[in-house]
Amino acid sequence: DTGVSQDPRHKITKRGQNVTFRCDPISEHNRLYWYRQTLGQGPEFLTYFQNEAQLEKSRLLSDRFSAERPKGSFSTLEIQRTEQGDSAMYLCASSLGAPSLQETQYFGPGTRLLVL
Amino acid sequence: RKEVEQDPGPFNVPEGATVAFNCTYSNSASQSFFWYRQDCRKEPKLLMSVYSSGNEDGRFTAQLNRASQYISLLIRDSKLSDSATYLCAANDYKLSFGAGTTVTVRA
């Protein structure tokens, strides 16, 4: 399978715990994006990377959230001290990174987080 | 006001019918748009991209009206398998999504 992969697919945690999600983009893609989607809403942008550089962070990304892409390949998203409001589907997407607004983002299957 | 807004539906149509719905966007600088299809509890999958006035792919037609800042999606000859949520997204390097339009095609 050469698509975007995410791990784990599901995570149940207790409030206050830390969680980490991983995303492996399509191999030749330079850009990697994280989105969050709650029930009945479209995905909301969290942050994105061009290679290993984190170029933009949404105001939705509180200081409890941190994302890395250390070698410009896979990325991790960590949530510290989880809250019930963090329960959502966390989606990763990747794109080629061509300097064009026409490039397409391809999504992974998502990590569904439930905070109890 | 949200950057991208969609009629949530649901649109409940019989097989073979034509269904169309719109998406409005607020950022006049947005240059490209996408329609994604999302099945229940799955990730969004790209359906169509819209760069100029419109795009057509089989039974699906997307049109862009820059003057009125909306994008439409039309599905002809609806199939049961077209039942899904259709997400509109404006592309400004990051995607700004609407909340989705739910379509149910009944036999």
Side-chain angles (χ1 to χ4, degrees), chain B residues 25-103:
Chain B
Y25 61 95
S26 60
N27 184 359
S28 59
S30 297
Q31 295 187 28
S32 62
F33 305 87
F34 297 93
W35 282 104
Y36 282 83
R37 171 201 169 117
Q38 187 171 33
D39 294 298
C40 188
R41 302 180 72 81
K42 300 286 190 180
E43 73 273 24
K45 290 191 184 296
L46 180 69
L47 181 66
M48 298 184 73
S49 54
V50 189
Y51 306 138
S52 55
S53 60
N55 195 4
E56 184 172 334
D57 184 3
R59 298 181 296 106
F60 297 84
T61 301
Q63 290 195 319
L64 170 61
N65 185 317
R66 290 195 184 275
S68 301
Q69 295 186 203
Y70 75 84
I71 313 103
S72 63
L73 182 66
L74 183 145
I75 307 173
R76 285 184 298 277
D77 188 23
S78 299
K79 311 291 185 191
L80 294 175
S81 58
D82 294 334
S83 297
T85 296
Y86 291 85
L87 295 166
C88 171
N91 186 15
D92 300 303
Y93 294 106
K94 60 183 185 288
L95 295 175
S96 297
F97 283 92
T101 297
T102 299
V103 173

Side-chain angles (χ1 to χ4, degrees), chain A:
Chain A
D1 188 348
T2 57
V4 179
S5 62
Q6 292 187 244
D7 183 72
R9 297 289 303 276
H10 303 273
K11 179 70 177 179
I12 300 174
T13 191
K14 292 183 179 179
R15 189 177 53 187
Q17 298 295 304
N18 299 343
V19 294
T20 300
F21 309 142
R22 176 179 170 126
C23 171
D24 287 88
I26 294 171
S27 59
E28 65 269 26
H29 284 187
N30 294 323
R31 285 195 181 162
L32 186 149
Y33 308 78
W34 286 99
Y35 293 84
R36 180 173 68 186
Q37 185 176 24
T38 54
L39 195 63
Q41 300 299 315
E44 294 176 294
F45 170 78
L46 293 178
T47 187
Y48 92 96
F49 293 83
Q50 173 84 30
N51 298 312
E52 66 275 10
Q54 188 173 18
L55 296 186
E56 186 172 344
K57 294 194 293 185
S58 162
R59 58 181 172 76
L60 293 176
L61 214 65
S62 76
D63 56 6
R64 296 185 298 105
F65 288 71
S66 62
E68 294 182 343
R69 194 182 183 197
K71 297 181 180 178
S73 55
F74 73 92
S75 175
T76 58
L77 178 67
E78 181 183 17
I79 310 174
Q80 297 182 323
R81 305 182 302 282
T82 52
E83 301 173 356
Q84 289 181 324
D86 297 331
S87 296
M89 169 96 96
Y90 289 84
L91 291 159
C92 176
S94 71
S95 69
L96 275 171
S100 165
L101 286 174
Q102 297 180 357
E103 65 165 9
T104 300
Q105 293 182 30
Y106 297 92
F107 283 83
T111 295
R112 191 170 295 277
L113 173 67
L114 177 61
V115 182
L116 300 175

